[in-house]
Amino acid sequence: HMASKPVWGDVNCDGDVNVADVVLLNKWLNNNADYAMTDQGKVNADCFNPQDANGGAVDASKVDLTKTDSDAIIKSVVHLITLPAKG
């Protein structure tokens, strides 16, 4: 596994953080066998209590993706919070 620097919240790696990223993360959380997420996408999705809140490169295999990450992304999309978030 290579280490990657996060682009907070950009789960689908299209350069924009929006509802599509939340949808992809939620689908992956519900059934990660049917929805592919790239290693970079996993690093980007891990935006609530991330491995390195300073945005340093991290190992995608060690990210802990949960509904809290999804909630943080949607809150950032509607400008309630700034990523990464801490709890």
Side-chain angles (χ1 to χ4, degrees):
H1 288 277
M2 288 184 51
S4 303
K5 288 190 174 190
V7 179
W8 304 118
D10 189 8
V11 181
N12 61 10
C13 303
D14 70 352
D16 290 314
V17 178
N18 54 35
V19 173
D21 298 296
V22 177
V23 171
L24 176 58
L25 178 53
N26 286 344
K27 285 180 176 178
W28 187 88
L29 288 170
N30 285 329
N31 185 354
N32 58 33
D34 285 349
Y35 290 94
M37 192 186 309
T38 64
D39 281 353
Q40 182 67 53
K42 290 175 185 174
V43 169
N44 295 351
D46 186 25
C47 57
F48 186 86
N49 291 338
Q51 287 180 65
D52 184 347
N54 295 318
V58 297
D59 184 342
S61 69
K62 295 188 171 107
V63 299
D64 180 26
L65 300 179
T66 68
K67 182 82 173 75
T68 312
D69 294 302
S70 176
D71 291 344
I73 296 170
I74 196 70
K75 286 176 183 172
S76 77
V77 168
V78 296
H79 306 292
L80 291 175
I81 64 169
T82 302
L83 298 176
K86 291 184 178 180

